[in-house]
Amino acid sequence: MGSTNSTLLKIPNVEVLMQETGFSPAHIIRLHDRFKALDKEGRGHLCPHDFGAIKELAMNPIGDRIIGAFFSPGKETVDFHTFVKILAHFRPVDKDRPKEPNSPEPINSRSNKLKFAFQLYDQDKDGKISRDELLQVLRAMLGMQVTDEQLESIADRTIQEADLDRDDTISFEEFRKACKHKRFTMFRFCIRPGERKLMLTLCHWSSELQDQHEL
Amino acid sequence: GYLHFTKKKKKTFLRTRGSETISKAGTDQSGVALVINRPPSNHTPDTDPDPDPGETTQAVFTLNYPRIQIPFEITLWVLLASFAKIGFHVYHKITVWVPESCLLISIGLIVGGIMHSLHEKPPAVLTSNAFFLYMLPPIVLDSGYFMPTRPFFENFGTVLWFAVVGTLWNSIGIGISLFAICQIEVFGVQDITLQENFLFASIISAVEPVAVLTVFEDISVHEQLYIVVFGECLFNDAVTVVLYNLFNHVAALEVVEAGDVFLDIGRFFVVGLGGTIFGALFGFVTAFTTRFTGKVREIEPLIIFLYSYLAYLIAELFAISSIMAIVICALTMKYYVEENVSQRSCTTIRHVIKMVGSVSETLIFFFLGVVTITTEHEWNWGYILFALLFALLWRGLGILVLTQIINPFRTIPFNFKDQFGLAYGGLRGAVSFALAFTLPDNIGRKDLFITGTIVVIIFTVFIQGITIRPLLKLMNVRKTNRNQETINDEIHKRLMEHTVAGIEDLCGQWSHYYWKDKFMKFNNRILRKILIRDNHPESSIVALYKKLELQNAMEVLDQMSGDISAAPSLISLHEERKNASKSRKKFLSSDVTNMHELLSKNMYKIRHRTVSYTNKHTLPDDITAREILMRRHTSLRRSLRAGSFHGTNAAKMSQKYFSLPMGRSLNSRFPPRRLVHADGDIESEINYSSIRHPQRVSSKAVMPLRPLNTLKEVASSVNTVDGQNEEQRGCRRSHLGSNVSRSGHLTSHLPHGSSRNCSDGDHDAWVEEPQNNSDVQHPLMRRPHWLPQKPHDK
């Protein structure tokens, strides 16, 4: 693995990165390759339009939100570390992580995954999903035949179901509870390595139990 | 003279003026011919040819049938088949449950019955070269041209695996089992040798693209499934042909030698690879040729067709896989050609391919029915029924086993439902039939084989074809119990699915990403320079926008006279609607059910989960893409104004939504509202009747009233997010732009009767749109001179 070691050394602070995110060296290298491929001008950081160049992402209804999630408010660039840290959300949940009371929660815990998803709704980052924000997301995800009135009633119903403290917004706690609903499965993002290949898989209907107790 | 109807078997006679008998040989087909015989001569060939015209009365009105016979009959058959097709769609309900192929075969059966009772022979379409040379290429070209490239290459390994190994498995399995059956004396088929059994097995194991795809039409199948089945069909041609030839060859020999077998295995590679290489070669040559057709746009489609056909024929010449050649040719050239040719040529190409493919397919099924009745059959209960049984059994087994082996290598493994779809969706069709007919005559039981093939085909097409849809639905339904989910669940789940799909795309899901990247680099650096006329290395997103904008513009121009009322409306969610002041709405359970339905019908599907474009008879539709891109466009502009990427301020400001006017929705429970049209069109009632297909409405609706200035804007926004002048222009326009979409939707839909003043404001804003056309080069991009007017009062 000589070549991989040398690649690894080129990336600054790679040890810290691996520890924080839990990615293996193979993963990091793969992601680094991808980062470099996206960063066409070789600046060492990515801009929004680098992401925009990915055609499939542009065709994704919430593509712009996903891209936005990479950029923390106010910043216009994302460097490799941030890139990897965000992608770390998508690692499978470590089932046998010892519960140390002092260590920070790993990035790919279920709670953090939910936070990521919550972020996609909550664009103004006030910690609540307002009705407007919900409407925007709905509009993005639904075809044009759906009228505004229908949209609004769907949004109302959504808020009604989830909103427990009756403030007409969905806070993170309420969101979390809504997603804990018994039949609902939290998908698991997985980045599965295959030697030098990384494959992403989506597991739909997995069992509830370990997810529940993670929470 | 008198008209004389004659029925002929082989030859027709015509007595012409003064010439001797002309016998029209070469018509193996019969037809009813009108012969005019003038009084002195009868249809006896030995009468003295009387050159003297003076004696006979000059016919005022002659009929010269044999001259036009062949084209005439072809036209009639095609017309008949087309009528059948039109007829089905008149009564829409049929086609939902019964695939078109079944219906066509049924009509063919009826016609065949008629012909049989008249002792006519149908034209030799399926039973000869005509099938392989004329009927099959258009269908394969159709399939190849519209095949989605990316999923195809992603699943290439799987496709090859199923095609090659699967077909081998099937053939050998069926062959051996049938041979075992032959040994049982009861059935009386001991004379069929092992080789002949293998031959028959290889014929009936050939899964057929035509039949399968017409069945998969409406079922929104898992895209992966579609690609795998489709690819398998295409590729197993190579395998089938090789096997067929191998066994044919071997059946003739008394002794099978090992050397022969190895030769034939080697031959398989030659066939397969040769087909691919030829195809790619022709694809590149086509692309290269189209580089120079700038001045002769009219013949561009012709070039495409000629080259594809040529690829097919030359592959046939060398007896390599012609199907693969034409498919690979279509795949390769599509990418370059669509950049080189004009928009019109592009449309023409697509339409003609669809048309010819469709006609060909219709004819094939039709004739399948006809020929079923009119051929000589040999029936043997045991053999044929067992053949059918084994065909189904081995395919099922094969899929099960093969999937288990290949699942670990797949990114998205096949679950049981997929496997079922794969196995059950393996229909046989006309290719098997044609192959059966071209069996050499020295095989004793040829008729039995033909009958057996027909039985298998008819069974699979009818029974499997009709039942696959309900079965798949059943399996689907059992898995998810929709109404137990809350609305929250559905929405969040879908959002997360989209997110995962997005992240996958971000990370480059394709596991052979390395090769793809290399190829794209090679492509950009070398291939594009050679093969494309005006090569601008564009970012793909700009290319996408351009393409969609042009398509939109052309579509609208096509429908200029049509409904302007069909334009989607914009509403603004005003701040006056405070949430706090609204009382809680009570939702009945029926409301909730409606919502569920609405969501399930209208939520955009995940990119690689299901695909609903597999409607074989229409051109692929970019509706979803268009809608998504339109919105993204607006949000891009909005974000420009905000000066940062996030544009989160937009959330606080008035939101603009894109939706169709009330009453257009599919499940509308709400009464239609009045529309106020800014452009002065009347419309207090909406022309419902013109809306036939709800899906099409949005494509009708887009109007380039704010024309493709935006294109420059997009390009610049893509390139420099923080460009100063863009921001400035963006600032000025975006405030207006937030009122008017990229495509200038004029209708403003006002909810709850709130004040019209807003719309006035909107209009003023619209009027201030950039007026100068001069700086926009492309003619399509110039702003058309529609002026807004004050909204009419109700």
Side-chain angles (χ1 to χ4, degrees):
Chain A
M1 297 278 275
S3 62
T4 59
N5 272 336
S6 62
T7 331
L8 272 180
L9 289 176
K10 283 191 207 138
I11 308 170
N13 296 331
V14 68
E15 299 288 325
V16 179
L17 197 60
M18 285 200 286
Q19 204 200 22
E20 273 180 3
T21 60
F23 278 126
S24 71
H27 286 140
I28 300 274
I29 292 173
R30 168 70 169 82
L31 290 174
H32 189 73
D33 285 340
R34 181 61 172 166
F35 185 84
K36 274 198 297 195
L38 286 175
D39 178 17
K40 295 200 169 66
E41 295 159 36
R43 283 168 308 204
H45 57 82
L46 294 177
C47 294
H49 73 267
D50 289 323
F51 287 100
I54 306 172
K55 195 164 80 148
E56 290 83 15
L57 203 52
M59 306 288 274
N60 193 311
I62 52 167
D64 45 353
R65 286 168 189 260
I66 297 176
I67 298 176
F70 278 84
F71 296 87
S72 27
K75 293 194 69 172
E76 292 288 325
T77 61
V78 61
D79 61 353
F80 184 61
H81 275 243
T82 328
F83 184 71
V84 174
K85 282 211 201 121
I86 305 251
L87 285 180
H89 283 105
F90 298 92
R91 282 190 55 241
V93 177
D94 298 322
K95 289 189 203 123
D96 16 277
R97 177 176 53 91
K99 299 254 191 187
E100 295 155 33
N102 292 327
S103 66
E105 212 176 337
I107 302 184
N108 61 335
S109 72
R110 186 163 188 243
S111 167
N112 279 326
K113 289 191 205 232
L114 277 174
K115 275 209 195 113
F116 187 83
F118 188 79
Q119 241 192 342
L120 291 175
Y121 283 100
D122 181 20
Q123 290 288 315
D124 56 1
K125 311 233 189 301
D126 60 354
K128 294 178 188 297
I129 304 177
S130 69
R131 189 170 181 273
D132 280 352
E133 290 168 338
L134 196 55
L135 273 170
Q136 280 182 60
V137 174
L138 279 174
R139 176 39 79 199
M141 291 207 297
L142 288 168
M144 277 184 139
Q145 283 97 334
V146 183
T147 64
D148 298 314
E149 275 222 13
Q150 291 167 323
L151 263 188
E152 286 168 27
S153 49
I154 294 177
D156 287 329
R157 173 71 184 175
T158 313
I159 295 186
Q160 213 181 50
E161 282 171 358
D163 190 12
L164 302 167
D165 59 359
R166 308 224 150 200
D167 60 352
D168 265 346
T169 62
I170 305 181
S171 70
F172 180 62
E173 277 310 311
E174 291 162 354
F175 182 71
R176 185 197 280 214
K177 290 214 180 77
C179 291
K180 208 173 145 195
H181 192 88
K182 67 168 156 50
R183 255 340 197 145
F184 180 83
T185 309
M186 179 66 177
F187 51 84
R188 276 187 283 199
F189 300 112
C190 306
I191 301 183
R192 204 163 49 151
E195 299 185 9
R196 292 187 141 266
K197 295 182 256 176
L198 280 180
M199 295 183 284
L200 275 172
T201 60
L202 170 66
C203 320
H204 266 290
W205 302 97
S206 59
S207 70
E208 308 302 307
L209 303 170
Q210 52 255 53
D211 288 345
Q212 298 285 14
H213 102 283
E214 267 275 343
L215 211 55
Chain B
Y2 54 93
L3 294 177
H4 192 95
F5 284 85
T6 52
K7 285 192 205 161
K8 5 203 139 4
K9 295 293 176 204
K10 287 295 178 192
K11 298 189 275 185
T12 71
F13 293 95
L14 177 70
R15 198 88 179 145
T16 59
R17 243 171 34 137
S19 57
E20 56 283 351
T21 316
I22 301 172
S23 69
K24 268 301 188 192
T27 55
D28 313 334
Q29 36 228 307
S30 66
V32 172
L34 300 171
V35 175
I36 292 199
N37 290 320
R38 275 174 249 111
S41 44
N42 259 330
H43 47 280
T44 50
D46 47 17
T47 337
D48 166 48
D50 188 348
D52 183 5
E55 285 177 39
T56 62
T57 53
Q58 177 68 303
V60 172
F61 159 65
T62 54
L63 274 166
N64 188 351
Y65 184 64
R67 183 161 170 258
I68 60 157
Q69 180 174 6
I70 294 180
F72 184 69
E73 287 182 356
I74 294 177
T75 315
L76 278 187
W77 280 109
V78 178
L79 210 51
L80 185 59
S82 309
F83 283 150
K85 230 172 125 105
I86 296 177
F88 301 145
H89 288 280
V90 166
Y91 186 47
H92 180 67
K93 284 255 173 71
I94 297 186
T95 50
V96 170
W97 291 112
V98 181
E100 221 174 83
S101 39
C102 302
L103 292 171
L104 284 169
I105 295 184
S106 319
I107 302 276
L109 285 172
I110 298 175
V111 174
I114 298 177
M115 288 191 86
H116 187 70
S117 58
L118 294 178
H119 301 291
E120 297 273 344
K121 276 200 149 292
V125 165
L126 285 187
T127 58
S128 66
N129 262 342
F131 177 72
F132 284 109
L133 290 182
Y134 300 118
M135 312 279 284
L136 197 54
I139 297 178
V140 190
L141 180 61
D142 176 8
S143 313
Y145 197 81
F146 291 106
M147 180 142 66
T149 336
R150 200 183 52 93
F152 179 69
F153 282 114
E154 281 177 19
N155 288 298
F156 199 66
T158 316
V159 162
L160 271 182
W161 174 253
F162 278 114
V164 176
V165 181
T167 315
L168 271 174
W169 169 283
N170 276 336
S171 310
I172 296 181
I174 298 177
I176 295 184
S177 345
L178 278 179
F179 186 62
I181 293 291
C182 286
Q183 306 311 316
I184 305 178
E185 287 177 13
V186 173
F187 299 120
V189 282
Q190 277 119 318
D191 52 323
I192 305 182
T193 65
L194 182 65
Q195 293 96 322
E196 290 177 350
N197 271 311
F198 274 134
L199 194 54
F200 181 56
S202 69
I203 295 176
I204 63 171
S205 61
V207 176
E208 233 255 327
V210 181
V212 171
L213 294 176
T214 52
V215 161
F216 271 7
E217 226 175 76
D218 248 341
I219 314 173
S220 56
V221 278
H222 198 147
E223 187 186 64
Q224 305 273 323
L225 195 62
Y226 171 79
I227 293 292
V228 171
V229 175
F230 177 64
E232 182 196 342
C233 298
L234 287 184
F235 285 134
N236 73 11
D237 164 61
V239 183
T240 310
V241 165
V242 170
L243 274 180
Y244 180 80
N245 287 323
L246 163 64
F247 292 132
N248 219 349
H249 185 166
V250 154
L253 297 176
E254 295 304 317
V255 181
V256 181
E257 293 176 27
D260 284 336
V261 176
F262 280 120
L263 261 183
D264 281 298
I265 294 182
R267 183 159 170 64
F268 162 68
F269 283 106
V270 169
V271 163
L273 283 176
T276 318
I277 295 177
F278 257 92
L281 202 67
F282 271 95
F284 287 129
V285 171
T286 320
F288 189 64
T289 316
T290 53
R291 190 180 166 182
F292 301 107
T293 56
K295 303 286 183 209
V296 278
R297 295 281 187 189
E298 312 83 45
I299 63 168
E300 277 172 342
L302 189 62
I303 295 192
I304 312 291
F305 302 137
L306 289 178
Y307 271 115
S308 318
Y309 196 42
L310 207 56
Y312 186 83
L313 291 176
I314 295 198
E316 282 282 322
L317 171 66
F318 291 112
I320 58 182
S321 173
S322 45
I323 292 186
M324 284 187 63
I326 199 172
V327 168
I328 303 285
C329 179
L331 273 179
T332 338
M333 72 176 169
K334 179 175 177 182
Y335 172 74
Y336 301 106
V337 155
E338 294 210 335
E339 296 217 22
N340 275 337
V341 302
S342 70
Q343 190 66 23
R344 281 206 196 150
S345 302
C346 200
T347 317
T348 312
I349 294 173
R350 291 171 166 229
H351 273 284
V352 172
I353 289 183
K354 272 289 170 195
M355 178 186 82
V356 183
S358 172
V359 163
S360 198
E361 179 193 312
T362 312
L363 277 178
I364 287 180
F365 281 116
F366 191 72
F367 279 115
L368 207 53
V370 172
V371 170
T372 307
I373 305 262
T374 55
T375 47
E376 302 288 323
H377 290 294
E378 180 187 335
W379 185 265
N380 182 312
W381 278 102
Y383 193 74
I384 292 181
L385 287 181
F386 271 105
L388 185 61
L389 182 69
F390 288 135
L392 299 173
L393 199 68
W394 281 100
R395 178 156 178 96
L397 267 178
I399 297 286
L400 262 167
V401 171
L402 293 179
T403 325
Q404 293 312 315
I405 299 180
I406 199 165
N407 257 345
F409 298 100
R410 281 183 59 80
T411 324
I412 302 176
F414 282 134
N415 59 16
F416 179 69
K417 181 183 143 208
D418 296 331
Q419 295 174 34
F420 178 77
L422 268 179
Y424 207 67
L427 310 183
R428 279 59 165 185
V431 172
S432 318
F433 188 75
L435 280 176
F437 254 93
T438 53
L439 278 172
D441 285 322
N442 57 8
I443 297 185
R445 295 290 200 140
K446 180 176 172 182
D447 289 333
L448 178 62
F449 289 156
I450 292 178
T451 313
T453 315
I454 292 182
V455 167
V456 172
I457 294 176
I458 301 246
F459 182 86
T460 53
V461 171
F462 273 88
I463 308 285
Q464 284 180 229
I466 295 181
T467 55
I468 191 172
R469 223 166 153 245
L471 278 176
L472 278 180
K473 272 197 185 160
L474 200 67
M475 296 185 85
N476 241 337
V477 166
R478 237 189 284 148
K479 268 201 148 185
T480 67
N481 205 340
R482 296 227 114 204
N483 283 329
Q484 298 239 354
E485 288 185 338
T486 64
I487 301 275
N488 259 288
D489 291 342
E490 279 203 51
I491 297 178
H492 298 322
K493 190 171 74 146
R494 187 54 64 101
L495 178 100
M496 292 180 195
E497 289 176 354
H498 278 301
T499 315
V500 172
I503 296 288
E504 283 181 9
D505 291 326
L506 194 66
C507 289
Q509 181 213 6
W510 197 17
S511 56
H512 303 290
Y513 167 67
Y514 176 72
W515 290 110
K516 181 185 181 192
D517 198 35
K518 278 246 175 299
F519 177 72
M520 291 312 277
K521 286 211 180 95
F522 172 64
N523 185 30
N524 279 325
R525 225 176 306 137
I526 301 182
L527 285 180
R528 283 182 68 103
K529 294 222 170 68
I530 304 179
L531 299 175
I532 298 190
R533 191 180 314 131
D534 321 306
N535 187 14
H536 318 292
E538 300 168 327
S539 100
S540 54
I541 195 73
V542 175
L544 199 59
Y545 275 132
K546 239 194 230 175
K547 188 167 80 125
L548 287 178
E549 297 242 12
L550 278 177
Q551 279 178 17
N552 269 344
M554 297 210 56
E555 276 189 36
V556 170
L557 288 177
D558 273 342
Q559 293 154 25
M560 273 270 278
S561 54
D563 279 4
I564 306 192
S565 63
S569 72
L570 281 174
I571 68 152
S572 53
L573 189 65
H574 301 288
E575 292 291 10
E576 295 101 56
R577 296 183 63 197
K578 296 288 177 210
N579 297 331
S581 63
K582 264 171 76 64
S583 57
R584 240 146 212 254
K585 267 160 90 161
K586 274 287 169 211
F587 286 103
L588 313 165
S589 65
S590 58
D591 287 341
V592 180
T593 324
N594 279 338
M595 282 186 211
H596 275 295
E597 255 183 57
L598 200 67
L599 285 177
S600 64
K601 279 208 184 125
N602 286 307
M603 284 210 279
Y604 289 131
K605 308 249 188 317
I606 314 296
R607 166 182 63 73
H608 57 253
R609 281 283 132 181
T610 52
V611 131
S612 51
Y613 68 83
T614 59
N615 188 345
K616 212 173 173 279
H617 298 287
T618 61
L619 294 169
D621 217 358
D622 279 331
I623 296 285
T624 313
R626 238 177 264 167
E627 292 180 9
I628 295 179
L629 278 173
M630 264 164 43
R631 291 198 201 111
R632 186 170 151 72
H633 199 99
T634 335
S635 71
L636 256 179
R637 280 193 284 111
R638 220 182 292 146
S639 69
L640 282 180
R641 165 195 39 168
S644 81
F645 177 69
H646 294 283
T648 54
N649 307 328
K652 294 271 169 47
M653 306 252 226
S654 42
Q655 298 310 311
K656 310 302 165 197
Y657 300 110
F658 302 94
S659 55
L660 296 178
M662 288 295 260
R664 295 307 174 81
S665 56
L666 296 176
N667 310 321
S668 174
R669 285 175 62 248
F670 305 94
R673 311 273 294 272
R674 284 300 174 91
L675 283 177
V676 175
H677 285 269
D679 57 358
D681 263 348
I682 334 85
E683 286 1 281
S684 52
E685 66 256 286
I686 305 163
N687 195 1
Y688 286 105
S689 55
S690 70
I691 315 256
R692 259 174 259 285
H693 305 283
Q695 286 162 318
R696 280 185 50 77
V697 176
S698 58
S699 66
K700 266 165 100 175
V702 174
M703 294 196 294
L705 283 168
R706 252 206 76 223
L708 314 171
N709 283 336
T710 59
L711 192 57
K712 279 204 325 198
E713 215 184 313
V714 173
S716 52
S717 77
V718 167
N719 291 329
T720 51
V721 174
D722 44 11
Q724 275 309 334
N725 38 349
E726 269 68 50
E727 212 183 338
Q728 207 179 28
R729 200 177 349 141
C731 267
R732 180 175 52 109
R733 194 182 286 128
S734 60
H735 178 64
L736 329 169
S738 60
N739 292 334
V740 181
S741 80
R742 163 192 80 96
S743 339
H745 303 154
L746 290 189
T747 58
S748 64
H749 173 87
L750 306 171
H752 303 299
S754 42
S755 62
R756 272 257 165 83
N757 305 330
C758 309
S759 71
D760 283 1
D762 286 357
H763 293 313
D764 291 341
W766 193 90
V767 167
E768 279 170 68
E769 287 293 6
Q771 307 275 342
N772 40 353
N773 277 333
S774 51
D775 54 328
V776 185
Q777 301 91 319
H778 197 294
L780 262 177
M781 292 195 199
R782 299 239 171 81
R783 179 164 160 263
H785 299 288
W786 290 309
L787 298 171
Q789 293 168 25
K790 290 292 176 203
H792 283 192
D793 225 305
K794 278 193 208 160

